[in-house]
């Protein structure tokens, strides 16, 4: 029997059981107690240490449960054979030490990828940020949201804390279905709708449905985040040029694509609205082969300032070829983390087989709040208000841009939350962004929304910048544009 | 010029603009207006219909925006060339009609996969459901949760509705890191933690980090949902048998696996707690090759009724080989939809490169509520209460099982929310489940948690049932066990 010397103290704030447990564990870890050695009986150790026998029992029990000791009936406790214990330097805080070595601290990766802005080494002070992704949250009906939340929590019962339907609660799916039908002409049953925590997650589900290594057509330029996501799926991305009506159908036909990703209501970043003719051509292309599909990303169709909203592509689809995707990130708030996808029936079947077991990613309480917000008419009222707000900003900004028209072509107006300025004398995007940034104005380029060799093929894409106005009020827009006039005075 | 006859009515509740728009659109869709045809000028149509010219302007504008018409400067409006419009039967509700044909209505797929219970064709009335996945939600501190929600909403500002950090809000990650360190011995920086909407989603992220077609070792039997998820990833699943200490290390060595999925604190469904020796062997295995990893699913380690919780495997890892996964589904509520994953540093780097751009899947408000709930000590208090509740149920159930000991071996006790009954005379699982179900008792088998040929290799797995007690109080347990005695009287 090994001589076990345990110094028990009252000062370290550790209970006696803990001290005994840790001491023996450390002795084993450090190789001072060897495999097969017998430990003192609980009775004798308790007497020796002048503690209750149950304290020692408890420590031995824990060590046995963790596998350091082995209890042999009628014979007592023995040290277990533990592989490689000598590799465990007890006090080295391995993880935290090597963490700092790896140089991750302070690196803010997410910030770099969330927008497509110029990454400048110099730290410039940005006074006016024309982000095309930002929205106005000042007018969000916080009080209403709080009121609904409160009323839902009052009724909250255990059922609402249980796991809900994998596709999302039926009530919310019915509400979204009705909304999509009336506002976007989408034809679907609630059973075809899948609610998920954001578009990226829904894309991940879609990967499981469409399969791997899918050859997917994307417009040049396109929405960068979707491009990144599809790339991370090892999809084979077919870069298809755009004309004034959207994706070039002839070039699409020449590609190997079996799926096409498009934003027919308002293409990002060009702002092109796809006319019905091109839509029909795309639907025809999809119909020609068994497994061709169109992914319609309807990310900001709510905001159209001329005429009524353009109906969705899905509304014209009679053959189950359109996967319709929407989100409340723009129309309510990004932090809501609720998006939805409408699957055609044949893909719904695949979803149920391949991913029906994935648990829902949105909490039921959040689903209920959102459902009430839409059903009770608050959503529509808020949309109307924001449409008005954004239209005013849009009109105000356009009105201020006359000064730039000599050098810049203005496009992408009438919808969404940004417009485009394209230099007629082909001033490079980088120069435009940098001269603005030096004067405290952050603009956004589109060259990184272009893929591969298409990137510099067209001077339009290499000398165009985006001005987002979603998060800027009139005063800020006015001041920002004045500053831009100064910054670009040499061009104008 | 085509003769355009539009009948305008006041009765349909549609405004004049809408009626003109729809009429012309339908004429084009039905081929009555042909491509290239010129439309009447807005002035003449307005006069003819006796409406304001702006009404016609508006209708023509919308039709042009949607691509049905084309405006030629100084010449007027012409019908566009629209591909395949004749394929569009205007009133056929294609999607909804074919939906019912497809026979999905009423099919409740999620129910079938959420548990591993017997799927019986007969509809039996289940009076006692011993689900191993269900938890008690009666004692959830709803009032506290509501209070916190309310206080957070009072302070809610636009920042909280903006998109947060992709990995989850730093505050919550810090809180979870502290909790994991103190309760599970996990060594990590908040930067290593990724918060996501449930374990399934985190597995999906992990697929992007570990790559495709990963050969992954899983114990036989294992957690069925994880098995389904990994299968949907096209992972190559290597079924590795278990012994009394967990995954058989020799069999693991003989497999091609480069990742092993284990539940060392409390294996599902066997309830085995992996001793330190086996843990060290697994860590040694992982260390031997560059890209080997262990996925530690610590899904219910909070509930241990003997001794203190077993420290995590991650706590013994000094080489960055353990991916630690946890969830609040068991310890708070399934509907919370918050899980987390602790990545070793080299994988954190891969995460940032491959998936740093995926947006967070948990709303910031929910993150804030959870953070307060943990930070203010409510979580610990609730855990203590539930540990006591579950321990009482566990002890009570064990006490009632003496009667079964002649025929059944009892195992998997001391932790988690279920125990196992294994028939000594090898009564098949199916028979055990069916005789119970006929008497209104739903028990759960483990054979479908076994993969491939291992399924029937061991009689233990083919004649064992699970009794979950998480959602049953003492009275229900007592009545359920009495009913089971009757149901199984022929065996006892």
């Amino acid at each position: 029997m090994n001589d076990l010397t345990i110094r028990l103290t009252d000062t370290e704030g550790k209970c006696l059981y803990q001290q005994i447990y840790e001491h023996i564990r450390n002795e084993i870890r450090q190789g001072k107690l060897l495999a097969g050695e017998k430990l003192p009986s609980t009775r004798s150790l308790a007497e020796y240490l002048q503690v209750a026998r149950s304290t020692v029992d408890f420590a031995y029990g824990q060590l046995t449960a963790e596998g350091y000791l082995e209890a042999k009936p009628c014979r007592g406790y023995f040290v277990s054979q533990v592989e490689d214990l000598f590799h465990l330097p007890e006090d080295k805080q391995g993880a935290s030490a090597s963490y700092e070595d790896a140089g991750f601290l302070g690196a803010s990766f997410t910030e770099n990828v969330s927008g497509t802005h110029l990454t400048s080494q110099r730290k410039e002070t940005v006074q006016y940020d024309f982000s095309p992704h930002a929205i106005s949250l000042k007018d969000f009906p916080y009080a209403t949201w709080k009121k609904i939340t409160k009323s839902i929590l009052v009724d909250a019962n255990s059922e609402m804390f249980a796991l809900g339907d994998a596709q999302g609660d039926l009530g919310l799916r019915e509400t979204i279905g009705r909304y999509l039908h009336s506002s976007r002409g989408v034809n679907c049953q609630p059973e075809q709708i899948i609610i998920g925590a954001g578009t990226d997650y829904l894309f991940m589900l879609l990967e499981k449905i469409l399969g791997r290594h899918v050859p997917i057509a994307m417009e040049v330029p396109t929405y960068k985040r979707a491009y990144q996501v599809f790339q991370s799926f090892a999809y084979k991305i077919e870069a298809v040029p755009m004309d004034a009506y959207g994706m070039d159908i002839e070039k699409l036909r020449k590609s190997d694509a079996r799926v096409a990703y498009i934003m027919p209501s308002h293409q990002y970043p060009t702002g092109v609205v796809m006319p019905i003719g091109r839509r029909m051509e795309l639907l025809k292309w999809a119909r020609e082969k068994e497994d061709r599909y169109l992914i319609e990303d309807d990310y900001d169709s709510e905001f159209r300032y001329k005429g009524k909203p353009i109906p969705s592509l899905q509304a014209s689809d009679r053959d189950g070829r359109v996967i319709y995707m929407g989100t409340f990130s723009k129309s309510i708030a990004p932090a809501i983390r609720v998006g939805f996808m409408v699957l055609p029936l044949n893909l719904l079947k695949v979803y149920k087989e391949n991913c029906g077991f994935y648990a829902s990613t949105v909490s039921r309480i959040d689903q209920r709040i959102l459902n009430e917000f839409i059903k009770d008419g608050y959503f529509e009222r808020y949309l109307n208000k924001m449409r008005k707000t954004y239209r005013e900003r849009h009109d105000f900004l356009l009105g201020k841009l006359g000064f730039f028209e000599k050098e810049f072509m203005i496009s992408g107006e009438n919808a969404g939350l940004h417009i485009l300025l394209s230099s007629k004398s082909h001033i490079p995007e980088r120069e435009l962004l940098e001269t603005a940034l030096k004067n405290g104005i952050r603009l956004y380029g589109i060259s990184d929304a272009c893929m591969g060799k298409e990137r510099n093929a067209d001077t339009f894409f290499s000398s165009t910048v985006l001005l987002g106005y979603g998060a800027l009020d009139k005063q800020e827009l006015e001041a920002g544009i004045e500053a831009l006039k100064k910054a670009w005075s040499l061009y104008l």
Side-chain angles (χ1 to χ4, degrees), chain A:
Chain A
M1 192 196 293
N2 189 290
D3 189 31
L4 204 60
T5 331
I6 305 183
R7 201 154 36 106
L8 298 178
T9 63
D10 273 337
T11 50
E12 284 182 53
K14 283 180 186 167
C15 66
L16 295 172
Y17 140 73
Q18 183 84 7
Q19 291 180 49
I20 298 169
Y21 160 80
E22 286 188 359
H23 180 87
I24 298 176
R25 195 189 61 174
N26 291 348
E27 295 280 296
I28 296 174
R29 285 186 171 215
Q30 289 157 19
K32 293 177 188 165
L33 278 169
L34 296 175
E37 276 189 66
K38 187 175 186 301
L39 263 75
S41 71
T42 52
R43 189 183 46 76
S44 64
L45 185 59
E47 274 175 17
Y48 174 73
L49 294 173
Q50 294 292 304
V51 298
R53 188 167 162 188
S54 63
T55 305
V56 179
D57 269 340
F58 204 63
Y60 277 25
Q62 182 69 24
L63 288 162
T64 306
E66 292 182 18
Y68 290 100
L69 299 183
E70 216 167 318
K72 297 188 181 173
C74 312
R75 292 187 53 209
Y77 288 88
F78 294 80
V79 177
S80 300
Q81 178 70 48
V82 179
E83 179 86 32
D84 266 354
L85 266 182
F86 50 90
H87 277 289
L88 272 181
E90 183 62 9
D91 294 313
K92 194 187 150 207
Q93 286 294 319
S96 49
S98 63
Y99 188 83
E100 296 195 44
D101 296 345
F104 283 122
L105 282 174
S108 173
F109 181 83
T110 48
E111 194 178 84
N112 282 339
V113 293
S114 62
T116 60
H117 60 75
L118 179 74
T119 40
S120 169
Q121 288 305 314
R122 300 178 300 279
K123 274 271 161 255
E124 312 280 357
T125 321
V126 175
Q127 220 178 337
Y128 308 103
D129 189 340
F130 284 87
S131 168
H133 302 292
I135 64 168
S136 171
L137 284 167
K138 275 180 217 154
D139 299 311
F140 185 76
Y142 295 102
T144 305
W145 195 264
K146 287 173 199 181
K147 198 187 74 188
I148 295 174
T149 305
K150 222 174 120 183
S151 81
I152 278 172
L153 281 172
V154 165
D155 300 333
N157 50 28
S158 57
E159 182 235 332
M160 273 180 59
F161 283 85
L163 192 58
D165 190 298
Q167 286 185 228
D169 284 357
L170 185 60
L172 179 58
R173 281 187 281 132
E174 283 169 347
T175 302
I176 289 176
R178 272 195 300 274
Y179 165 70
L180 287 180
H181 186 74
S182 69
S183 78
R184 313 288 305 121
V186 169
N187 287 310
C188 70
Q189 296 292 313
E191 288 78 3
Q192 289 171 268
I193 299 176
I194 292 157
I195 292 166
T199 308
D200 294 354
Y201 170 72
L202 292 168
F203 281 143
M204 287 166 98
L205 274 186
L206 208 49
E207 186 201 7
K208 309 292 171 214
I209 297 168
L210 293 174
R212 266 155 249 279
H213 308 295
V214 171
I216 188 167
M218 300 189 84
E219 291 153 323
V220 182
T222 190
Y223 182 40
K224 193 190 174 189
R225 181 188 285 261
Y227 173 67
Q228 287 178 311
V229 169
F230 293 154
Q231 246 193 342
S232 79
F233 293 171
Y235 277 5
K236 184 168 175 284
I237 292 168
E238 305 270 352
V240 177
M242 288 181 72
D243 59 20
Y245 303 123
M247 185 175 271
D248 185 321
I249 199 85
E250 289 315 311
K251 299 273 168 51
L252 172 63
R253 288 192 176 284
K254 280 179 191 150
S255 80
D256 294 327
R258 77 170 181 85
V259 175
Y261 170 83
I262 41 173
M263 295 158 274
S265 303
H266 186 234
Q267 208 268 355
Y268 188 89
T270 63
V272 164
V273 177
M274 191 182 286
I276 184 77
R278 184 61 53 86
R279 290 171 186 231
M280 288 298 136
E281 287 176 318
L282 274 172
L283 286 171
K284 183 166 178 263
W285 170 84
R287 233 174 11 241
E288 280 166 8
K289 283 196 181 167
E290 195 63 43
D291 59 350
R292 280 187 178 165
Y293 292 98
L294 300 167
I295 301 175
E296 174 177 22
D297 191 347
D298 209 30
Y299 68 104
D300 77 349
S301 59
E302 295 85 0
F303 303 117
R304 186 164 166 74
Y305 314 122
K306 230 175 124 179
K308 59 168 194 170
I310 308 289
S312 68
L313 176 61
Q314 203 267 7
S316 301
D317 175 29
R318 290 292 179 271
D319 303 275
R321 298 309 183 134
V322 173
I323 299 153
Y324 177 89
M325 312 204 61
T327 169
F328 294 104
S329 291
K330 295 258 174 196
S331 55
I332 297 186
I336 295 297
R337 308 315 302 137
V338 182
F340 47 86
M341 152 164 98
V342 180
L343 290 178
L345 293 175
N346 44 346
L347 293 185
L348 179 64
K349 219 176 133 198
V350 181
Y351 161 80
K352 294 205 174 192
E353 282 161 11
N354 292 5
C355 355
F357 49 84
Y358 290 133
S360 164
T361 45
V362 187
S363 98
R364 296 189 85 177
I365 291 179
D366 291 352
Q367 292 187 53
R368 194 77 71 99
I369 296 169
L370 183 57
N371 192 14
E372 299 286 314
F373 189 72
I374 303 172
K375 256 175 55 183
D376 293 356
Y378 299 111
F379 180 55
E380 209 180 322
R381 241 172 289 164
Y382 178 54
L383 267 187
N384 288 337
K385 187 175 176 186
M386 292 320 294
R387 220 175 267 131
K388 188 166 165 283
T389 300
Y390 291 139
R391 179 189 289 119
E392 281 168 7
R393 291 180 185 183
H394 164 268
D395 294 350
F396 185 82
L397 179 62
L398 271 187
K400 290 282 165 198
L401 291 180
F403 192 75
F404 294 85
E405 278 179 356
K406 210 180 106 199
E407 171 55 34
F408 293 94
M409 207 179 72
I410 295 161
S411 63
E413 72 278 24
N414 295 338
L417 300 173
H418 72 272
I419 58 157
L420 291 80
L421 290 188
S422 307
S423 162
K424 291 175 189 171
S425 63
H426 310 314
I427 306 165
E429 170 195 296
R430 195 169 182 85
E431 187 182 327
L432 293 172
L433 297 182
E434 276 182 357
T435 48
L437 193 59
K438 269 185 205 149
N439 290 272
I441 307 150
R442 174 163 283 155
L443 302 180
Y444 293 76
I446 65 168
S447 67
D448 63 356
C450 303
M451 300 153 283
K453 63 179 170 21
E454 310 290 342
R455 200 168 182 137
N456 297 310
D458 192 322
T459 50
F460 175 82
F461 298 136
S462 56
S463 55
T464 294
V465 295
L466 301 184
L467 268 75
Y469 50 84
L472 301 173
D473 64 23
K474 279 186 199 174
Q475 264 180 318
E476 290 163 327
L477 285 174
E478 173 137 47
I481 290 300
E482 280 308 310
L484 192 59
K485 275 183 195 171
K486 269 182 214 145
W488 284 354
S489 56
L490 61 163
Y491 312 134
L492 301 167

